[in-house]
Amino acid sequence: MQGPYGTQMLGDLGAEVIKVERRQALTPYGRPDERYGAHGQYGKTAEDSTFYPAGFLSANRNKKSVTIDLKNEQGKAVVRRLVKLSDVVFENFRPAVMTRLGFGYEQGAESNPPIAHASASGSGPEGTEDKRPRATGP
């Protein structure tokens, strides 16, 4: 929750926050769409309104959102344009993932020298757990 909460606070303070998500994000139970309801009808049908939306909605208030395939060159081009226009890049990946994708601090500073880069890894930047992915199930 470091990334969602940190950017929630920035949005609450008036920053324009653009959340970049994967094109398909699996839930801990393997469903790609649970945050929005199985059929994208959250709040409109009983079946789609059974998910715990309050935490998701709260952590993502005051944000714009876009889905981008970060492994696709067209998707990377979109993110490069966003980085060029941004004041801060706030990421929540494991250490070195942003650099591997081409969006680490040094890469962002090449196109936007005053950029700030905030990194919040769930397992810390180094140590025995630094490469460990976040939990994916119960």
Side-chain angles (χ1 to χ4, degrees), residues 13-57:
L13 292 169
E16 180 181 22
V17 177
I18 302 171
K19 178 182 178 181
V20 176
E21 295 188 275
R22 287 178 276 177
R23 299 285 299 176
Q24 182 173 0
L26 295 179
T27 67
Y29 307 105
R31 286 182 47 198
D33 50 11
E34 191 171 13
R35 291 176 297 175
Y36 303 102
H39 307 288
Q41 299 291 311
Y42 176 78
K44 297 178 183 172
T45 68
E47 180 183 349
D48 273 9
S49 300
T50 58
F51 181 65
Y52 51 93
F56 177 80
L57 296 174

Side-chain angles (χ1 to χ4, degrees), residues 1-136:
M1 288 301 294
Q2 297 170 84
Y5 185 64
T7 53
Q8 170 198 318
M9 290 189 291
L10 291 172
D12 289 349
L13 292 169
E16 180 181 22
V17 177
I18 302 171
K19 178 182 178 181
V20 176
E21 295 188 275
R22 287 178 276 177
R23 299 285 299 176
Q24 182 173 0
L26 295 179
T27 67
Y29 307 105
R31 286 182 47 198
D33 50 11
E34 191 171 13
R35 291 176 297 175
Y36 303 102
H39 307 288
Q41 299 291 311
Y42 176 78
K44 297 178 183 172
T45 68
E47 180 183 349
D48 273 9
S49 300
T50 58
F51 181 65
Y52 51 93
F56 177 80
L57 296 174
S58 176
N60 290 292
R61 65 179 180 250
N62 298 322
K63 297 178 189 179
K64 297 176 180 178
S65 182
V66 62
T67 60
I68 298 176
D69 181 354
L70 295 177
K71 296 180 181 177
N72 174 299
E73 191 51 44
Q74 290 176 313
K76 287 183 176 188
V78 171
V79 173
R80 283 196 274 296
R81 287 195 305 269
L82 288 171
V83 169
K84 193 180 268 191
L85 300 170
S86 298
D87 296 318
V88 178
V89 171
F90 196 119
E91 58 99 354
N92 200 38
F93 288 114
R94 293 183 314 269
V97 170
M98 284 290 277
T99 299
R100 188 180 77 237
L101 289 169
F103 307 115
Y105 171 75
E106 290 80 12
Q107 294 133 321
E110 287 176 15
S111 65
N112 184 352
I115 192 87
H117 189 110
S119 178
S121 170
S123 300
E126 56 188 47
T128 60
E129 302 290 318
D130 66 336
K131 304 288 188 285
R132 185 176 151 207
R134 64 180 179 205
T136 58

